[in-house]
Amino acid sequence: MKTTIYSLFVAGVLLIFSACTSSETQEGDTESSNATADNTPLGQASVVDNESDPNILQVAIGSPDHTTLVAAVQAAKIEHILVNAGPLTVFAPTNAAFDKLPEGTVDTLLKPENVGDLATILTRHAAPGSYNIEALKKEARKGRKLYMATGDYFEVTVDGDDVFVNGVKVLASIQTANGIVNVVDEVLLPKSE
Amino acid sequence: MKLTKYLFAAALAGVALSFTSCDNAKKESKGALGGNLAERSFVAPGEHDEFYGFISGGFSGQLSVIGLPSGRIFKVIPVFSVDGEKAYGFNEETKPMLNTSYGFIPWDDSHHPDISQTNGVLDGRWVFINANNTPRIARISLETFETVEIIEIPNSAGNHSSSYVTDNTEYVIAGTRFGVPVPQRDMPINEYKGNFKGALSFLKVDPETGQMDLSFQIMMPGFNYDKAHPGRGKSHGWFFYTTYNTEEAHTLLEVNASQNDKDYIAAINWKKIEEFVANGGGTKMKTKYAHNIYSDETHMATSTMKTEVLTVDPKDVPGAIYFLPTPKSPHGCDVDPSGEYIVGSGKLSANLTVHSFTKMLDAIENEKFAGDAYGIPILNFEDILAGTVVQPGLGPLHTEFDGKGNAYTTFFISSEVVKWKLGTWEVIDRKPTYYSVGHLMIPGGNSQKPFGKYLVAMNKITKDRYLPTGPEVTQSAQLYDITGEKMELLLDFPTVGEPHYAAGIPADLVAPHSKKYFKLEDNKHPYATLSEKDAKVVRDGNTVHIYMTMIRSHFAPDNIEGIQEGDRVYFHVTNLEQDYDVPHGISMIGAQTSELLIMPGQTETFVWEAKNQGVWPFYCTDFCSALHQEMQGYVRVSPKGSDVPLKWSLDDE
């Protein structure tokens, strides 16, 4: 487990560095295209910090199982939400989780005109506070619902050793510098009433 | 796309070209009054400054960190005065830093910062600075930007000719302004002359750790030692001190200390004295001084009282000390980067005096002495004079150098900086300051290798320069561009306290080493709590120790019961964060001390007296996170002898 996290981290750092380099070399382009492109701030996502523990975004970027999620976060321009002081708990659907959605769903969401919907779907995966698997079990034990950043309240349930949020099983918790990444193998959808 | 890029680059080049031509045109038409001054001190949002500046706070007792050329202030490092913002002198860990032989002292007057050097070049490891009032020297780490050591200077008073470092930071020195009885004793003040002494202290600096050790004190005649400068390069191994009151007056000094036409610069061959001491020379003397050291591992300071100092009588080391006559109560004592020229600024003299180190050595070798003072040979003024800058201004104080053969001197009375040429002594330029300038600073201007781009002048008086703020008017610094023949005033900006003196250094020599947070695994604080599960509350008689942790966004524990009236409650709080820039704070209602502001991985302690029964809250004082306002807790205080058990919890668990 340790080595996995470490390699995730290294991969993340590498990615970030290459991202930085390319953004520097392309400064001319950015400047010239600024007039037309909207300028969503990268905010703290542009901070270069190779000393602190990796944050949620860095962990996600470093995970080969979360390339769809990262692409979606970037398309939705919400990177800066995943790097601020938080604390934040992110339920991170794997690539396989996105693949379970009806065919074409992801491609449609990634289209520029659907940025708003995409951002809402992703934001539904974030809860203020730090909830790893142990903390989630406590939530279930105390009968407390999990408040998501979209305003949804999700039920937390336990079955044996497993913990479920809105019926979706949490596979693993990763501690990051600004909160928790909980790996899930399904996309969290709004509660069906 | 490619085409766009090309076009853009071409456009950029065009813009750049037009800027330069624009610039030239302005220079031609307006001379020194360039129209792009704002641009040249402007550092765009998100960009970094080129230099760090460390400006002493004078009577604030602190050291502020600014950026140059912007003049933006980044931090005020507490050194000799308590600082509630950072809990310096308030938390249990840093109280020992301000311990002295007189006990705890919450304030002092900080004067002359100097950055450590290697081979006569700034190395960016430490800043040293002196406390004037209760004589001390502090060392500030440029990794943590915190005061890590303070050593008291015994047998000294008005510690003004301090705290300058030699070419390899072998020593940092401290010289007394006041003559005082040594050892201190009850005696008539009017018996000053011939009886009071002036101690010049040499503190050895450990080349690895930077830790200071008071090696020896030279017991000079009771003159007032005003400013000092080490020899550089060829004069490395010597130290020079200006003196005033060679009259040894003890009252109304403004008149009685201005009687002699010339006072002295004391030239001290410290290598010779070092050798004398190494061979067992000197006399051990009973005294008392505190030596305080802060540890980044335990996050705590310890104060040790020393009881002995090695003193050296100049008479015992012939050939080590000479007096260089210098007109009219010289104040500034500055040595140029080559080490050849020693500039003495006679406060009351119309001219600036420059001595030659080569001529000084020659006069010593040929024993051309004009006499002696208390057995110390006095050289002939004419024999050692390199040159005189004639009538450059009124009230010369301090000189720094640009490394290109020019010197810059401040004039307090005529409120100006004057640029003059070493060797020809001609005045090249003068620019007004607003107003009454004291020190000036060129980054590295005190070393063999100045970075002669900017000059900062520090003013004592600003009068009408800023929006008024009542009778107390801000003091200021002014930034000049000194890359051209003429100086150009770019900016003036307010400072913290009295901007007495400053040291500057290129940012890239310091910034890469700046510490971002403390590693939890390295935290050796005796009361550290390294995980929430280790949080606890321990009673020991009337004393209660709370081992608490903080992480976004709660304290563990957050509810504590079983405290009783009259208890003395220690909050030992550890910040569990390991993320850059996530400090947490804590304070408790009625705490008779400051908040704690705790960096990631650090432990700090404050004391709270449980005076009244009730339920009393504490909270996080630093806006740490989105749920900062939720970061809070309670302490329940019961009557003395109550059977409420000692209990602590988080989320009722």
Side-chain angles (χ1 to χ4, degrees), chain B residues 15-29 36:
Chain B
V15 168
L17 264 173
S18 61
F19 265 120
T20 25
S21 54
C22 206
D23 202 23
N24 287 342
K26 268 176 200 151
K27 269 197 183 135
E28 278 158 25
S29 61
N36 60 343

Side-chain angles (χ1 to χ4, degrees), chain B residues 255-315:
Chain B
V255 176
N256 291 323
S258 305
Q259 297 302 305
N260 290 348
D261 178 51
K262 292 188 177 66
D263 295 280
Y264 306 122
I265 287 177
I268 295 189
N269 185 335
W270 58 260
K271 282 206 167 158
K272 211 159 202 167
I273 295 176
E274 184 183 50
E275 196 185 307
F276 170 75
V277 164
N279 292 327
T283 310
K284 285 195 172 145
M285 177 190 153
K286 288 279 170 230
T287 186
K288 208 175 156 195
Y289 65 97
H291 188 187
N292 311 329
I293 298 172
Y294 183 84
S295 158
D296 281 340
E297 285 187 343
T298 61
H299 308 291
M300 288 180 111
T302 46
S303 178
T304 311
M305 206 57 72
K306 302 278 185 83
T307 54
E308 208 171 57
V309 65
L310 187 66
T311 60
V312 175
D313 185 332
K315 284 200 287 290

Side-chain angles (χ1 to χ4, degrees), chain A residues 8-189:
Chain A
L8 285 185
F9 172 51
V10 170
V13 167
L14 283 178
L15 263 171
I16 286 161
F17 269 116
S18 47
C20 276
T21 327
S22 60
S23 76
E24 267 165 31
T25 50
Q26 288 167 9
E27 207 161 51
D29 291 68
T30 323
E31 293 259 331
S32 58
S33 59
N34 250 359
T36 48
D38 70 338
N39 39 28
T40 309
L42 265 180
Q44 291 180 43
S46 60
V47 172
V48 177
D49 170 18
N50 42 24
E51 283 182 50
S52 300
D53 293 343
N55 60 39
I56 293 170
L57 182 66
Q58 289 167 329
V59 165
I61 287 174
S63 162
D65 290 333
H66 289 89
T67 50
T68 309
L69 175 66
V70 170
V73 164
Q74 286 165 347
K77 301 183 193 302
I78 55 170
E79 291 109 305
H80 58 288
I81 292 171
L82 302 182
V83 296
N84 81 96
L88 200 65
T89 299
V90 168
F91 294 89
T94 57
N95 293 344
F98 282 104
D99 289 343
K100 289 181 191 170
L101 295 174
E103 203 176 330
T105 310
V106 173
D107 290 338
T108 309
L109 284 172
L110 289 176
K111 286 184 179 159
E113 61 266 31
N114 295 325
V115 160
D117 291 343
L118 179 62
T120 305
I121 290 170
L122 293 171
T123 307
R124 190 173 290 117
H125 289 74
S130 292
Y131 301 98
N132 61 15
I133 287 180
E134 288 313 307
L136 287 169
K137 284 180 177 171
K138 190 170 84 173
E139 296 304 291
R141 197 170 72 237
K142 299 204 166 193
R144 295 191 290 227
K145 286 184 175 174
L146 200 58
Y147 174 73
M148 311 307 287
T150 40
D152 299 70
Y153 282 93
F154 281 162
E155 208 154 357
V156 186
T157 51
V158 170
D159 183 6
D161 280 345
D162 298 331
V163 63
F164 299 81
V165 170
N166 200 27
V168 174
K169 184 174 164 184
V170 178
L171 302 177
S173 288
I174 301 163
Q175 177 71 48
T176 77
N178 59 340
I180 308 285
V181 172
N182 286 322
V183 180
V184 290
D185 63 359
E186 277 181 56
V187 175
L188 297 182
L189 298 170

Side-chain angles (χ1 to χ4, degrees), chain B residues 362-548:
Chain B
D362 188 60
I364 292 170
E365 196 175 334
N366 294 303
E367 300 189 355
K368 289 159 82 177
F369 304 137
D372 74 277
Y374 296 101
I376 296 169
I378 302 168
L379 305 179
N380 283 299
F381 177 71
E382 293 75 18
D383 290 341
I384 54 171
L385 187 70
T388 304
V389 186
V390 180
Q391 302 207 331
L394 284 177
L397 290 184
H398 302 284
T399 302
E400 295 227 340
F401 307 90
D402 62 5
K404 298 166 196 157
N406 302 306
Y408 301 77
T409 302
T410 51
F411 291 83
F412 180 82
I413 296 172
S414 53
S415 287
E416 58 189 337
V417 180
V418 173
K419 175 182 180 181
W420 50 276
K421 204 164 187 60
L422 288 162
T424 68
W425 324 118
E426 63 192 310
V427 170
I428 296 169
D429 187 26
R430 57 177 70 243
K431 283 285 177 300
T433 64
Y434 306 91
Y435 307 96
S436 298
V437 60
H439 274 273
L440 77 172
M441 180 275 278
I442 293 169
N446 202 8
S447 72
Q448 283 188 41
K449 189 186 164 193
F451 300 85
K453 187 169 180 183
Y454 299 113
L455 180 157
V456 179
M458 285 155 270
N459 303 309
K460 311 296 185 192
I461 289 168
T462 55
K463 296 265 189 194
D464 58 354
R465 296 289 287 181
Y466 300 103
L467 286 174
T469 52
E472 172 70 32
V473 178
T474 185
Q475 299 197 12
S476 79
Q478 284 179 232
L479 181 76
Y480 296 84
D481 182 328
I482 55 166
T483 53
E485 175 84 352
K486 304 285 181 188
M487 297 174 276
E488 290 180 90
L489 176 61
L490 298 184
L491 179 71
D492 74 4
F493 52 95
T495 56
V496 175
E498 177 214 352
H500 190 89
Y501 182 45
I505 183 169
D508 56 16
L509 294 178
V510 173
H513 314 296
S514 175
K515 205 177 185 78
K516 290 195 163 128
Y517 60 90
F518 298 99
K519 288 200 163 60
L520 260 183
E521 66 208 50
D522 297 337
N523 182 330
K524 302 282 184 281
H525 192 292
Y527 290 96
T529 310
L530 300 183
S531 77
E532 283 188 8
K533 67 174 170 28
D534 298 326
K536 62 183 175 185
V537 181
V538 178
R539 174 178 285 284
D540 176 16
N542 287 336
T543 302
V544 177
H545 293 278
I546 301 175
Y547 295 71
M548 182 179 276

